[in-house]
């Protein structure tokens, strides 16, 4: 059985924000096309330690996508917890997510998307 979770590393190769956003669009389409219900995005926190441009850009674009109904929920890594309502929705949609190494770790360098 195929995994319901797809993982994409948007910071690989240190891309520009624009390139990372193009990659984000591709990864959302691809994850849907192969039947994934959850997309885990690795965007990093930023080398400055104050939140990188890719992280900010990706989360802004995901918020826009959620507002348009293009994704069901966006879960910032720092909220990826069983105590978060969107995380609980994602866990119901994809039980496999319970074994994700970032669950309960408050990892600001990732974002989980319910497709």
């Amino acid at each position: 059985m195929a995994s319901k979770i797809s993982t994409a590393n948007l910071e690989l190769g240190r891309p520009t924000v624009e390139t990372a956003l193009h990659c984000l669009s591709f990864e959302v389409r691809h994850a849907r096309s192969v039947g994934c219900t959850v997309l885990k995005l690795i965007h990093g926190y930023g080398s400055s330690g104050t939140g990188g441009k890719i992280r900010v850009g990706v989360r802004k674009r995901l918020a826009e996508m959620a507002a348009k109904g293009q994704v069901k929920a966006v879960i910032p890594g720092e909220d990826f917890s069983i105590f978060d309502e969107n995380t609980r929705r994602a866990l119901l949609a994809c039980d496999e997510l319970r074994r994700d190494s970032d669950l309960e770790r408050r990892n600001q360098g990732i974002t989980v998307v319910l497709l």
Side-chain angles (χ1 to χ4, degrees):
M1 183 176 152
S3 174
K4 288 184 166 187
I5 303 173
S6 180
T7 302
N9 188 341
L10 302 179
E11 69 173 350
L12 191 64
R14 301 176 54 101
T16 64
V17 174
E18 183 178 331
T19 300
L21 293 176
H22 284 295
C23 187
L24 167 65
S25 296
F26 170 82
E27 293 295 345
V28 169
R29 285 191 311 273
H30 180 261
R32 271 204 189 99
S33 74
V34 297
C36 292
T37 53
V38 172
L39 175 59
K40 179 179 175 180
L41 300 167
I42 301 166
H43 45 63
Y45 181 65
S47 58
S48 67
T50 58
K53 291 178 182 178
I54 291 175
R55 174 182 175 261
V56 171
V58 164
R59 289 190 173 175
K60 180 179 178 188
R61 177 68 51 87
L62 288 170
E64 293 166 358
M65 293 173 77
K68 293 177 182 177
Q70 297 170 337
V71 298
K72 293 179 182 175
V74 177
I75 308 159
E78 57 271 25
D79 296 337
F80 187 41
S81 164
I82 61 170
F83 300 103
D84 176 73
E85 181 180 341
N86 283 327
T87 300
R88 289 193 302 272
R89 285 178 54 206
L91 292 171
L92 286 173
C94 180
D95 192 59
E96 180 183 346
L97 196 55
R98 293 181 188 281
R99 295 184 296 281
D100 189 281
S101 61
D102 283 306
L103 184 62
E104 303 297 342
R105 288 198 52 220
R106 308 284 187 231
N107 184 348
Q108 295 181 47
I110 66 142
T111 300
V112 177
V113 182
L114 183 58
L115 300 172

